[in-house]
Amino acid sequence: MSVVLTNIGELVTNDLAQGAGSGGLGVVPDAAVVIEAGRIAWTGPASSAPAADVAVDLQGRCVLPGFVDSHSHTVFAGDRSAEFAARMTGEPYTGGGIATTVAATRAATEEALRARGQALVREMLAQGTTTVEIKSGYGQDVATEARMLRVARELTPETTFLGAHTVPAEYADDRAAYLHLVTGPMLAACAPHARWVDVFCEPAAPTAFDEDESRAVLAAGLRAGLLARVHGNQLSAGPGVRLAVEVGAASVDHCTHLSDADVDALAGSWAGTAPGTFATLLPAVEFSTRSPYPDARRLLAAGVPVALATDCNPGSGYSSSMPFVVALAVREMRMSPAEALWSATAGGAAALRRDDVGHLRVGARADLTVLDAPSHLYLAYRPGVPLVSQVWKDGARV
Ligand SMILES: [Zn+2]
């Protein structure tokens, strides 16, 4: 059965062959989209749309590719709202609160983790996110890390083994033993459920990992057939970006504190024919920790591709909303509305090395977000407003 969505006031395709001059968004005004077998079969002006079995009149609304949230931690247990309140009333953020989530996640049943993860993914879907990446990292023991990833794999194909999130308290005096566990038995138990390996490379944080430790984690993951991504340069300048480029990571996430050499390394990673390393910015974390935002303009000026994601997690930023992230990127990081939307859709997809989502070219998955607004500008223009009126995933309205 084919479906035509018609009377679309503004269609964002992210297809450079369409809508020249729309900031890379491939905008088609007064458009239609034809969906067949869960894929995009046709896009263009509504006046020349081919016939379909079913027609849906969108009454001038804007249609976007579904958001691709390439960085989240949405499988966990416990509550850290009191920690947030303390931080907002003057306590500095050190990242130490993660032990609370680790203890609660270890104690949680698989059913409880599944229920929370399902609820958060539903919440994301309602806000237009049709692809999400989910990390482990709150187990920090073999059984719990594997349990987190089994649950995450039910929710998304984009699962990431992050056993090297922090060094748990019981290994504080023997970091080498924890590294041995992460790169050995834990990786072996988790790799079957994961597509990616990640590490929190932040030598300035005592419970995170230094350059050599991070390199060992990524190398072990790559040997196990996983693809690399890195948490880096969040709290201070450091080796995260350099290491991400060195190992060919698809993305280095946070990028809040960068040296000139880091920016050059990211830009240089795109010099060849193979895809380089994205800078994924997570401004909801800076918002929720009241920290300085990453310098998106510096990266864009250097030609570094930028993705935007939520980093939805119980500690440093518990927003699941890509529209909120787009609004922050525009207001606080001076990205244009077009740059922010591209980074939240096509950028997120490319940072996950996916070519079937994040755009609406013919053949793409029919993952669409319908805004109750005439254009994409309203995402940043009307922050905090529930503009998402319909979401379509794999060609079906959800
Ligand atoms: Zn994260």
Side-chain angles (χ1 to χ4, degrees):
M1 187 190 73
S2 59
V3 178
V4 59
L5 307 181
T6 190
N7 199 9
I8 297 168
E10 178 184 279
L11 173 67
V12 174
T13 64
N14 288 336
D15 179 359
L16 289 176
Q18 303 244 32
S22 49
L25 294 184
V27 170
V28 184
D30 302 318
V33 172
V34 178
I35 298 168
E36 203 162 353
R39 300 277 173 160
I40 301 296
W42 184 91
T43 65
S47 56
S48 50
D53 299 325
V54 176
V56 177
D57 184 343
L58 290 177
Q59 301 180 312
R61 292 186 176 89
C62 174
V63 172
L64 319 168
F67 294 113
V68 178
D69 188 348
S70 60
H71 185 141
S72 91
H73 305 252
T74 39
V75 172
F76 65 91
D79 182 289
R80 287 163 67 188
S81 54
E83 178 187 321
F84 172 76
R87 194 162 66 230
M88 288 302 104
T89 49
E91 291 184 21
Y93 175 65
T94 60
I98 190 175
T100 315
T101 304
V102 171
T105 302
R106 286 176 175 174
T109 64
E110 189 157 326
E111 290 67 35
L113 293 176
R114 181 177 295 114
R116 171 83 69 113
Q118 285 172 339
L120 283 168
V121 168
R122 270 199 302 272
E123 185 179 279
M124 291 170 151
L125 196 57
Q127 297 170 92
T129 299
T130 48
T131 301
V132 60
E133 179 267 11
I134 301 177
K135 300 174 195 300
S136 70
Y138 295 129
Q140 302 179 8
D141 63 34
V142 174
T144 315
E145 287 291 312
R147 189 157 72 240
M148 287 185 74
L149 283 166
R150 276 199 306 274
V151 169
R153 201 14 97 75
E154 296 172 12
L155 301 171
T156 180
E158 301 301 334
T159 51
T160 301
F161 170 51
L162 181 59
H165 197 183
T166 59
V167 177
E170 65 270 27
Y171 285 94
D173 297 326
D174 194 355
R175 299 173 62 91
Y178 187 63
L179 210 66
H180 190 73
L181 181 69
V182 168
T183 57
M186 196 185 284
L187 174 63
C190 290
H193 314 294
R195 180 170 185 231
W196 302 92
V197 61
D198 194 348
V199 59
F200 186 23
C201 179
E202 193 74 55
T207 60
F209 298 84
D210 69 19
E211 180 171 357
D212 289 342
E213 292 168 338
S214 299
R215 184 180 284 109
V217 168
L218 295 170
L222 290 166
R223 277 197 302 275
L226 305 182
L227 301 169
R229 40 204 325 108
V230 174
H231 279 69
N233 301 61
Q234 177 189 1
L235 303 172
S236 60
V241 167
R242 184 170 72 241
L243 183 61
V245 171
E246 175 191 311
V247 304
S251 180
V252 54
D253 297 25
H254 287 292
C255 292
T256 310
H257 299 274
L258 299 181
S259 67
D260 288 345
D262 292 332
V263 176
D264 290 347
L266 286 168
S269 75
W270 293 88
T273 50
T277 302
F278 260 77
T280 298
L281 310 183
L282 311 166
V285 170
E286 279 76 30
F287 178 87
S288 295
T289 56
R290 200 175 276 142
S291 303
Y293 289 91
D295 190 345
R297 291 253 59 91
R298 181 182 178 204
L299 289 161
L300 292 166
V304 177
V306 169
L308 290 167
T310 62
D311 198 10
C312 181
N313 78 85
S316 61
Y318 195 16
S319 176
S320 58
S321 172
M322 290 297 281
F324 174 61
V325 168
V326 167
L328 284 179
V330 172
R331 170 64 181 81
E332 302 293 337
M333 302 197 301
R334 299 174 190 274
M335 293 177 76
S336 72
E339 287 168 341
L341 179 56
W342 187 91
S343 293
T345 51
L352 290 171
R353 303 244 166 110
R354 290 279 297 270
D355 60 10
D356 58 334
V357 296
H359 63 87
L360 300 179
R361 292 193 296 276
V362 171
R365 280 180 195 276
D367 293 355
L368 308 146
T369 294
V370 181
L371 298 184
D372 201 2
S375 84
H376 71 280
L377 300 175
Y378 279 63
L379 285 168
Y381 177 45
R382 304 201 67 208
V385 176
L387 293 179
V388 174
S389 67
Q390 294 181 24
V391 180
W392 294 65
K393 182 153 170 66
D394 293 322
R397 189 172 170 185
V398 293

